[in-house]
Amino acid sequence: MKQMMKNPILLCTFLALSSGFFGGLITAQVMVTLASQKCQKSPNTIWGFTQICHTWIAPAAILQGSTAGIWTGTVLGAFVGGLMVRKPM
C-alpha cells in the first residue's frame, strides 16, 4: 500500500478499475433480477415458457447492466481516487 501512496497514478488506476469491475458485477445482477420479473408477470404461467423467457432476456440484461456499471464505477472510482491523492493547497 505504501508503494501505491508514492505513486498516485497507480492508486487512481487501481481504484478506478476495481470499482468499475464491482460496479459492473453488481449492476449486471440487478438488471437480470429486474428483467426476470418481466417473465414472472407474463400471463402465461407455463413452466417452459418462463424458462425460455429467462434464457432469452438474461444475456441482454447482463450486457446492458455490466456496461452501465463498468462506466459508472470507473468514473466514480477515478473521482474518489483523485480526491484521495490530491495535495492540499
Side-chain angles (χ1 to χ4, degrees), residues 37-86:
Q37 287 179 355
K38 291 180 184 177
C39 296
Q40 300 298 330
K41 292 180 180 178
S42 67
N44 203 351
T45 58
I46 300 172
W47 178 81
F49 176 77
T50 305
Q51 297 303 319
I52 291 172
C53 181
H54 287 292
T55 305
W56 186 260
I57 287 179
I62 291 172
L63 181 65
Q64 182 183 9
S66 64
T67 304
I70 289 170
W71 277 104
T72 305
T74 304
V75 169
L76 290 176
F79 180 74
V80 170
L83 288 176
M84 288 174 59
V85 299
R86 79 178 173 105

Side-chain angles (χ1 to χ4, degrees), residues 3-36:
Q3 180 64 26
M4 283 190 194
M5 290 308 240
K6 290 180 183 178
N7 192 353
I9 294 173
L10 185 63
L11 178 67
C12 285
T13 303
F14 176 74
L15 193 59
L17 291 177
S18 62
S19 65
F21 173 74
F22 288 115
L25 186 69
I26 291 169
T27 309
Q29 290 177 349
V30 168
M31 288 298 291
V32 168
T33 302
L34 291 175
S36 67

